[in-house]
Amino acid sequence: MAIKKLGKQTVKLENPPSIISYYSIVGPKEGKGPLKDYFDLILEDDLWGQESWEKAESKMQEECIKAAIDKAGLSSQDIDYLIAGDLLNQIIATAYSARQLAIPYYGLYGACSTMTESLSLGAMLVDGGFADKVACAVSSHFSTAERQFRYPLEYGNQRKMSAQWTVTGAGATILSSYGSGPYVKCITTGKIIDPGITDVANMGGAMAPAAVDTLVTHFQDTGLDPSYYDLIISGDLGYVGKSIVLDLMKEKGYDLTKNYTDCGVEIFDKSEQDTHAGGSGCACSATVYNSYVFKEMAKGKLNKVLIMSTGALHSTLSTQQGESIPGIAHAVAVENTIE
Amino acid sequence: MEYIKAFVVGGLICVIGQILLDHTKLTPAHILVSFLTTGVILGAIGVYKPLVDFAGAGATIPITGFGNSLAQGAIEGARTKGLIGAFTGGIEATGAGIAAIILFGYIIAIIFDPKTKD
Amino acid sequence: MDKLNKREYKEYAEKKMPKPPYVKNMIMAFIVGGIFCTIGQIILNLMKNNGLDEKMAAAGTAISMVLIGGLLTGLGVYDKIAKIGGAGAAVPITGFANSIVSPAMEFKREGFIFGVASKMFIIAGPVLVYGIGSSIIVGLISLLLR
């Protein structure tokens, strides 16, 4: 019997796991953005002493997980599971980071939705009594994503105005069965929603309907109103996706204008940093949750937050074959108090 | 005057490319291929040559000019050497540029490393 | 989402996409493209003044322009020119050089055969295939029409 199930797609955790530690590493560009004071480590150069950007991405993720474990006063032996992923083919950056850490490992591919996917599964493992401590982490890197999904860096291509900028960074969260919060209260797992967008320059448009579907389902399943949360923050819909979410939610009778934003909108200064439609990538949401959101929660400025990473689950091949982009969004409710 | 003609005609050919980039889903790679093929066709029907006579480098430097040279070379080859010439003419006429970029491209790629964007 | 909704949504989502600055882009493409062509004209004249015939001068100009495009790519400048100039940087033969040098540099770590040498042609390959292929067809047709 699924006694913790609430409605169609939501689970309510019986013993809400506590977020006992979190850490964020970002690249130099993100470190000049509006959230620069919240990040734990800002790299001076995005190669970080490595010989390839792929290696630099692995190192970022590995160091980020280590730092989060360290910050909790633990060692890697204390962690029962590592649940992590990235954007590269075969999530190779994560495989190399997990190789160094020697923690039992589940690899995830949820594109840019991976952070809340890993938090969801990690929280369920802890609440289910299968683990006491779980590390959830992701990474992404502008230069590795660019060459895999788009063009060589030195290629003369004018970026579209709706294009988004892959965040260079890594974020890690440690969940524990004991702790003083914030707690993971509810999880709404998203379905794939494919609105038929084939244009990879319009990721926000491709993912927004999935975000709307998950949000509406979350409110229906829990019976909550959007105003219950101090902040509802999606992963990397950017300016285009954010505006679509506001429109579509209004159509469905939910007013999000007061407490909703998107990590992709917040992480860069659009006018100063020339990032067009905002940030994207696994690390876009991960670095914002693991810096700004959780730090503001620690200060008590935010108490109830719904975080929802969004993913575009296409591949370079599916795009070339003219297939549409499947979108997904997973929502995780994080609150400072248990009841 | 020569320079002004080259600037204006070359600039205008690029503007056509920009309009296509901004109003369609074509990428710069699509533009390169379609402009080149257009150049071959315009060269074959004899429309491009007057433009080259008028604008000089303004017509030969854009990739359409490369297409024109290919077409002119193939026609010339066919005229002087027959069937085999139809095959060799295009590459003969444009061989300098292709050979140069293969060698230079390789050497430059070995010497330099790509830089990240900011 | 049903079919009709999908089509409506697609139109709606496209409208939400910010538009490029059309006029500014056209002006910049004109200027940047014009400058590349003028440089080409200067080189062409230099070659002619040094006694090269028409064909040799054209070949020399092509060699020089791809070298310029390649070097600007290697130095990390060409992508910045293209960001401003758009098609003004893509359409001249220097843009063709950029399309060859940029992937070759980028994939150096994947080795000298499957990296540099093979990736050199990811964008230039199609250009050569369609260009040379269509030129042969043109040559054959000209034979038939004779």
Side-chain angles (χ1 to χ4, degrees):
Chain A
M1 260 281 280
I3 46 167
K4 298 172 190 178
K5 193 91 186 284
L6 201 65
K8 275 191 298 183
Q9 289 165 237
T10 304
V11 293
K12 191 169 192 303
L13 299 167
E14 206 179 329
N15 303 298
S18 176
I19 293 169
I20 55 166
S21 174
Y22 48 85
Y23 200 81
S24 59
I25 299 179
V26 295
K29 189 180 177 87
E30 294 71 19
K32 292 188 191 94
L35 300 178
K36 59 176 184 284
D37 297 331
Y38 289 96
F39 299 124
D40 294 300
L41 179 62
I42 296 170
L43 303 182
E44 270 170 40
D45 90 284
D46 64 357
L47 261 179
W48 208 7
Q50 303 296 299
E51 52 203 52
S52 71
W53 285 301
E54 283 79 5
K55 285 191 167 182
E57 180 174 346
S58 272
K59 183 179 174 186
M60 271 193 317
Q61 196 192 92
E62 182 193 334
E63 295 300 325
C64 191
I65 297 166
K66 279 186 188 161
I69 295 172
D70 209 44
K71 207 173 122 188
L74 302 169
S75 80
S76 60
Q77 278 95 30
D78 302 316
I79 308 296
D80 299 310
Y81 294 99
L82 167 65
I83 306 177
D86 62 89
L87 286 179
L88 300 184
N89 291 338
Q90 288 81 37
I91 53 169
I92 191 68
T94 309
Y96 286 133
S97 120
R99 178 180 70 183
Q100 303 306 112
L101 292 162
I103 300 169
Y105 158 67
Y106 285 123
L108 296 185
Y109 187 79
C112 311
S113 72
T114 309
M115 191 66 222
T116 48
E117 187 181 4
S118 70
L119 283 173
S120 301
L121 295 169
M124 288 196 252
L125 279 180
V126 172
D127 183 48
F130 303 105
D132 275 320
K133 306 265 187 308
V134 175
C136 304
V138 303
S139 62
S140 62
H141 194 302
F142 174 80
S143 300
T144 63
E146 202 66 10
R147 74 200 296 241
Q148 180 178 308
F149 289 102
R150 294 177 196 96
Y151 296 105
L153 291 166
E154 301 293 352
Y155 181 55
N157 175 49
Q158 227 169 13
R159 289 159 49 76
K160 299 265 182 203
M161 296 310 288
S162 56
Q164 291 175 244
W165 192 281
T166 306
V167 168
T168 299
T173 311
I174 311 294
L175 297 173
S176 168
S177 49
Y178 320 93
S180 53
Y183 303 94
V184 176
K185 291 275 295 273
C186 278
I187 295 160
T188 303
T189 306
K191 300 191 295 274
I192 287 193
I193 303 288
D194 187 338
I197 301 283
T198 51
D199 184 359
V200 286
N202 193 7
M203 290 297 188
M207 295 188 289
V212 168
D213 187 77
T214 300
L215 281 176
V216 169
T217 309
H218 177 80
F219 295 130
Q220 284 170 349
D221 287 351
T222 56
L224 296 172
D225 187 79
S227 61
Y228 172 82
Y229 292 106
D230 301 324
L231 176 68
I232 298 169
I233 185 162
S234 55
D236 60 347
L237 297 176
Y239 288 89
V240 178
K242 181 184 172 185
S243 128
I244 294 177
V245 165
L246 287 173
D247 279 7
L248 295 186
M249 287 303 282
K250 195 178 164 200
E251 243 172 61
K252 295 190 188 289
Y254 296 95
D255 178 20
L256 290 188
T257 48
K258 286 185 201 70
N259 56 349
Y260 166 70
T261 191
D262 181 79
C263 299
V265 168
E266 301 299 325
I267 194 163
F268 292 119
D269 182 332
K270 191 184 175 191
S271 53
E272 293 270 309
Q273 296 190 290
D274 195 31
T275 43
H276 296 199
S280 67
C282 297
C284 181
S285 63
T287 55
V288 175
Y289 304 154
N290 288 298
S291 61
Y292 169 76
V293 172
F294 295 158
K295 281 181 183 173
E296 289 294 295
M297 289 189 84
K299 287 183 209 157
K301 285 189 184 157
L302 296 170
N303 288 306
K304 296 167 182 161
V305 179
L306 188 67
I307 57 176
M308 178 179 63
S309 298
T310 43
L313 298 172
H314 66 297
S315 77
T316 47
L317 276 184
S318 71
T319 306
Q320 280 173 356
Q321 292 173 353
E323 299 295 328
S324 56
I325 302 166
I328 191 141
H330 302 297
V332 173
V334 183
E335 296 181 23
N336 268 340
T337 50
I338 290 186
E339 213 47 71
Chain B
M1 190 59 204
E2 211 178 10
Y3 294 115
I4 296 171
K5 280 197 270 187
F7 187 98
V8 172
V9 171
L12 286 177
I13 294 175
C14 295
V15 169
I16 299 172
Q18 189 65 41
I19 293 171
L20 289 171
L21 275 183
D22 283 349
H23 290 269
T24 66
K25 301 241 181 288
L26 297 178
T27 66
H30 288 112
I31 301 282
L32 267 185
V33 173
S34 51
F35 268 48
L36 179 81
T37 317
T38 308
V40 172
I41 296 166
L42 292 181
I45 57 175
V47 180
Y48 206 82
K49 177 115 196 331
L51 194 64
V52 175
D53 294 339
F54 174 74
T60 56
I61 296 301
I63 196 84
T64 40
F66 188 64
N68 173 58
S69 304
L70 278 168
Q72 296 293 330
I75 292 171
E76 174 75 13
R79 196 173 57 82
T80 54
K81 294 181 210 146
L83 185 60
I84 302 296
F87 282 85
T88 58
I91 302 180
E92 247 172 57
T94 53
I98 297 175
I101 190 55
I102 289 177
L103 180 70
F104 294 154
Y106 191 86
I107 295 171
I108 292 167
I110 300 302
I111 298 173
F112 295 100
D113 286 318
K115 288 162 214 55
T116 195
K117 299 195 179 194
D118 55 19
Chain C
M1 285 199 161
D2 59 50
K3 264 267 167 338
L4 185 74
N5 265 340
K6 273 193 181 178
R7 208 176 58 223
E8 277 173 9
Y9 179 77
K10 212 172 168 177
E11 278 169 21
Y12 158 79
E14 248 161 50
K15 273 200 207 96
K16 282 276 178 187
M17 288 166 77
K19 300 286 168 284
Y22 294 119
V23 177
K24 184 187 155 222
N25 279 356
M26 278 165 65
I27 294 170
M28 293 319 288
F30 180 74
I31 294 172
V32 172
I35 290 173
F36 276 120
C37 292
T38 310
I39 294 171
Q41 188 69 49
I42 293 170
I43 295 171
L44 187 68
N45 287 356
L46 279 176
M47 301 243 168
K48 279 189 195 162
N49 292 344
N50 282 309
L52 290 179
D53 68 26
E54 194 78 29
K55 269 195 175 154
M56 281 303 174
T61 308
I63 294 173
S64 316
M65 290 306 283
V66 296
L67 181 59
I68 290 172
L71 275 178
L72 289 175
T73 305
L75 293 169
V77 181
Y78 208 86
D79 61 322
K80 295 189 177 72
I81 298 173
K83 189 180 159 188
I84 302 165
V91 170
I93 194 154
T94 44
F96 179 60
N98 168 256
S99 79
I100 290 181
V101 175
S102 59
M105 280 162 79
E106 180 92 26
F107 288 89
K108 210 189 306 184
R109 280 203 52 83
E110 282 77 359
F112 290 104
I113 292 178
F114 290 113
V116 180
S118 137
K119 297 286 184 184
M120 266 174 106
F121 291 99
I122 50 170
I123 298 159
V127 173
L128 293 179
V129 168
Y130 289 105
I132 294 173
S134 58
S135 84
I136 297 170
I137 294 169
V138 166
L140 293 176
I141 293 174
S142 80
L143 267 184
L144 289 176
L145 292 180
R146 205 164 45 176

